[in-house]
Amino acid sequence: MSIAENVMNILKELPPGVRLLAATKSRSVEEILEAINAGVDLIGENYVQEALKKYEKIGKKVEWHFIGHLQKNKVKKALQIFDFIETVDNVELAKEIDKRAKNMDKIVFVMIEINSAKEPQKAGVMPEDAIDLADEIYSFEHLQLIGVMTMGPVVDKPEDIRPYFRKTKEIFDELRYIYGDEQIRYLSMGMTQTWRIAVEEGANIVRIGTGIFGPRKY
Ligand SMILES: *Cc1c(COP(=O)(O)O)cnc(C)c1O
């Protein structure tokens, strides 16, 4: 199936209120534009340099979310493109984003990445530390906390990821209770293999790459 058909099929199946984020790492501008023409209005990129090149051609007609691992020395460049960063997992990074946002006189919308399976080598804050991190983020004037995101572990069967999505949803609910659901809006979880389970567990952003564009070449 074509990129456009994949997008339209996913959009048809998503319940109202759930947004499709096209995960576009390694995809060409042409491929991304095909997805946009079929209805994608939100894209996620993992690498700042790669995103900058694409941004020159695609521009502001879609919302750009940063979904990769953000190094502190890339924050300034990242903020030229991204108003949304889904992967904040430590206070030093939050502080750096706040500082750069202040210099640019803008507000950056951030989400906390949760290491929902507590995997030692993986990005994301431990679930038990998420509320404290939210508290610290809240104190930064140029950051606005708007939700949480998780990758979850690599699993054999999609169903096996459910407990980690459920755990992340609990943190989302707790943050909503503390900060209000006007402010805490997004629960970003689920990828090509697991997005249906994520939706069942309350996700309202699903991040899909392969399911739109086919297998990645690198
Ligand atoms: C690549 C990527 C996705 C999409 O993965 P697919 O399995 O290709 O759908 C989602 N989220 C993040 C953070 C990614 O890096």
Side-chain angles (χ1 to χ4, degrees):
M1 265 191 291
S2 70
I3 290 171
E5 285 172 312
N6 291 334
V7 167
M8 286 185 283
N9 287 336
I10 295 165
L11 288 176
K12 236 187 315 183
E13 201 181 324
L14 282 178
V18 181
R19 297 185 73 188
L20 171 61
L21 176 153
T24 49
K25 59 177 177 278
S26 88
R27 311 304 178 173
S28 69
V29 167
E30 291 67 33
E31 290 172 298
I32 298 168
L33 287 173
E34 184 177 345
I36 292 171
N37 286 332
V40 164
D41 64 0
L42 170 57
I43 67 180
E45 281 281 345
N46 295 59
Y47 306 101
V48 174
Q49 214 58 42
E50 185 181 333
L52 277 166
K53 284 200 205 110
K54 295 174 184 177
Y55 187 78
E56 280 173 27
K57 307 229 173 69
I58 297 168
K60 288 183 191 296
K61 61 172 158 281
V62 287
E63 194 173 294
W64 292 73
H65 286 204
F66 188 79
I67 61 170
H69 175 68
L70 185 55
Q71 291 165 286
K72 271 166 62 180
N73 63 0
K74 299 278 171 62
V75 168
K76 187 177 175 198
K77 272 217 163 98
L79 295 192
Q80 294 172 11
I81 309 172
F82 299 99
D83 295 332
F84 294 83
I85 298 176
E86 294 201 7
T87 48
V88 176
D89 63 0
N90 67 84
V91 69
E92 290 76 27
L93 177 60
K95 187 173 180 177
E96 180 68 16
I97 300 168
D98 181 67
K99 177 177 127 192
R100 298 295 181 182
K102 183 180 169 142
N103 289 343
M104 295 166 81
D105 198 25
K106 72 181 208 172
I107 301 288
V108 178
F109 299 102
V110 300
M111 295 159 63
I112 293 177
E113 180 175 2
I114 312 286
N115 184 349
S116 52
K118 302 190 176 200
E119 295 167 282
Q121 311 302 337
K122 277 218 183 154
V125 67
M126 290 295 159
E128 62 271 24
D129 297 328
I131 301 296
D132 284 347
L133 179 58
D135 208 45
E136 291 175 308
I137 289 174
Y138 197 73
S139 72
F140 291 118
E141 256 180 74
H142 292 263
L143 301 186
Q144 193 173 323
L145 180 66
I146 58 162
V148 295
M149 131 356 155
T150 198
M151 294 280 288
V154 175
V155 289
D156 291 334
K157 295 180 271 98
E159 184 59 36
D160 294 343
I161 207 164
R162 192 183 293 278
Y164 306 102
F165 288 167
R166 194 163 286 180
K167 178 82 216 161
T168 306
K169 168 69 156 60
E170 278 172 24
I171 296 166
F172 175 70
D173 287 339
E174 207 173 332
L175 289 173
R176 291 195 127 187
Y177 180 76
I178 298 169
Y179 297 106
D181 44 13
E182 305 264 283
Q183 156 134 0
I184 308 297
R185 302 199 302 273
Y186 288 126
L187 176 58
S188 171
M189 51 189 199
M191 314 197 295
T192 296
Q193 300 298 335
T194 55
W195 68 266
R196 290 180 180 86
I197 289 164
V199 168
E200 286 171 9
E201 295 301 327
N204 56 19
I205 294 179
V206 293
R207 308 181 309 269
I208 302 181
T210 314
I212 294 175
F213 301 103
R216 272 182 292 279
K217 282 156 202 105
Y218 67 55

